[in-house]
Amino acid sequence: MKESTTRPNVLARALRSFWAPSARSMRGWALASVVANAGIAVTGAGVRVTGSGLGCPTWPRCTPDSFVPVAHPEMSMLTMLIEFGNRLLTFLVLAVGAACVIAALRLVPRRRALVRLALLQPAGVLAQALWGGLVVRSALSPFTVGMHFLISMALIAACWMLYARAGEGDGPAAGVAHRDVRRLGHALLAATAVLLVAGVVVSGTGPHSGDVIASRFGFDIETVARLHADIVYVVVGLTFALLFALRVTGAPRAARRAVLGLFVVELGQGVIGYTQYFLAVPAALVLLHVLGASLVWIAALRVVTSLRARGPLEAPAAAAHAEAPAPV
């Protein structure tokens, strides 16, 4: 009896959080969008390493005659299903983005900054879907494939900013650390973005093209891999310097924990990167490396948002009125 009465209550709370969203539920949807966009970046890499990039050789249809996979004499059904499955995940990411917009619009009081950030998500997903068509029509050009990943990273940035802004007020941003320390944090984020671009170049030069007919960048793989490693050293060095600066200047614990978290993720990503290099880039480690790249980017964004504050989030007027004592 206890179990049967608990489940409806859980469902009711979930429905109330969606239809009458609070700042907490708004943050929940934003975090779900971060996870969804990172997840589809990893599954996209899975499409590439399994050689399924052209499993659906046309766009928006899967085959010239069908929107869904059908038996084709020149295509493996498995590769078609892998590519088509990744396309279907786009609708899940779009649904989460739409939920963020609905939550932002229904938030009381409505906050324009959150609405604008939320609208970036479905717009970005639609742009990403159109770019996916260009990826297919370009026969997996390394430039279009790389941009596909970088657009996902830009969407993750928008989602993270929505998550951060939903938990703070709308006042002007104020630094919680010294100005030069904050500049070091911004330099770290910029270096991390450069690192992502360098990783895309290495990926576009390496062995996993997504299909046998796909082209590759004409760079020497050893050269671009070493350049990528050099940028890793810069990013890790900036992270350590920022952690030291925050410690010396007595910055808030939240900022120091954010930088320490980034440092740990970077170390894990470095282990994966060197392992896959010495093992001739096995497919499974490529997936882990793409996941690690997404986590490094998210952790770097968290560092930057931890270095500033906008004051406490004000309670809605309606909630304050409801909590006020009744007149006697």
Side-chain angles (χ1 to χ4, degrees):
M1 175 65 71
K2 184 178 180 180
E3 181 180 358
S4 62
T5 57
T6 301
R7 288 180 179 176
N9 291 336
V10 172
L11 179 60
R13 286 197 298 270
L15 290 174
R16 283 197 299 268
S17 69
F18 182 78
W19 292 110
S22 62
R24 183 176 180 181
S25 64
M26 177 76 258
R27 295 194 86 196
W29 282 114
L31 187 59
S33 194
V34 171
V35 173
N37 280 282
I40 200 169
V42 176
T43 60
V47 171
R48 181 165 53 84
V49 298
T50 57
S52 306
L54 293 177
C56 288
T58 62
W59 189 93
R61 290 183 172 88
C62 183
T63 68
D65 303 319
S66 174
F67 282 96
V68 299
V70 294
H72 195 281
E74 298 180 0
M75 301 298 301
S76 164
M77 179 56 72
L78 177 60
T79 59
M80 293 178 72
L81 290 174
I82 292 174
E83 163 64 2
F84 184 71
N86 191 64
R87 291 188 183 188
L88 288 181
L89 287 178
T90 302
F91 293 99
L92 173 61
V93 181
L94 180 61
V96 175
C100 288
V101 174
I102 294 172
L105 290 174
R106 295 182 63 84
L107 197 63
V108 179
R110 182 178 296 178
R111 301 171 60 190
R112 287 184 295 178
L114 298 188
V115 173
R116 288 195 296 266
L117 286 169
L119 286 172
L120 287 176
Q121 296 183 44
V125 173
L126 292 175
Q128 185 75 309
L130 293 174
W131 190 269
L134 183 59
V135 170
V136 172
R137 293 178 181 273
S138 68
L140 306 184
S141 157
F143 171 77
T144 59
V145 172
M147 284 299 300
H148 210 31
F149 173 77
L150 294 177
I151 294 172
S152 288
M153 296 301 102
L155 276 171
I156 287 175
C159 298
W160 180 265
M161 290 307 301
L162 176 63
Y163 171 77
R165 292 287 283 112
E168 59 190 12
D170 289 322
V176 299
H178 190 273
R179 179 185 60 186
D180 293 336
V181 175
R182 298 199 306 274
R183 287 176 177 173
L184 181 59
H186 292 142
L188 171 60
L189 183 64
T192 305
V194 173
L195 179 61
L196 291 177
V197 175
V200 164
V201 174
V202 174
S203 179
T205 308
H208 298 290
S209 63
D211 194 272
V212 293
I213 70 170
S215 60
R216 303 273 78 197
F217 287 129
F219 305 118
D220 176 68
I221 186 63
E222 291 283 344
T223 301
V224 293
R226 290 181 184 278
L227 176 61
H228 180 61
D230 290 340
I231 301 173
V232 169
Y233 296 143
V234 172
V235 171
V236 173
L238 288 172
T239 304
F240 184 80
L242 181 59
L243 183 60
F244 180 77
L246 290 173
R247 181 78 177 182
V248 169
T249 58
R253 177 180 294 182
R256 285 183 279 138
R257 290 178 62 182
V259 180
L260 182 60
L262 172 60
F263 189 68
V264 172
V265 174
E266 288 170 350
L267 292 181
Q269 177 73 329
V271 171
I272 296 172
Y274 275 105
T275 302
Q276 73 171 6
Y277 177 78
F278 288 112
L279 294 181
V281 199
L285 288 184
V286 171
L287 294 182
L288 284 178
H289 203 54
V290 171
L291 174 60
S294 302
L295 293 178
V296 167
W297 180 237
I298 293 169
L301 292 166
R302 179 190 174 204
V303 166
V304 172
T305 55
S306 72
L307 296 176
R308 57 102 177 102
R310 293 178 181 271
L313 183 65
E314 296 180 1
H321 179 73
E323 293 176 0
V328 178

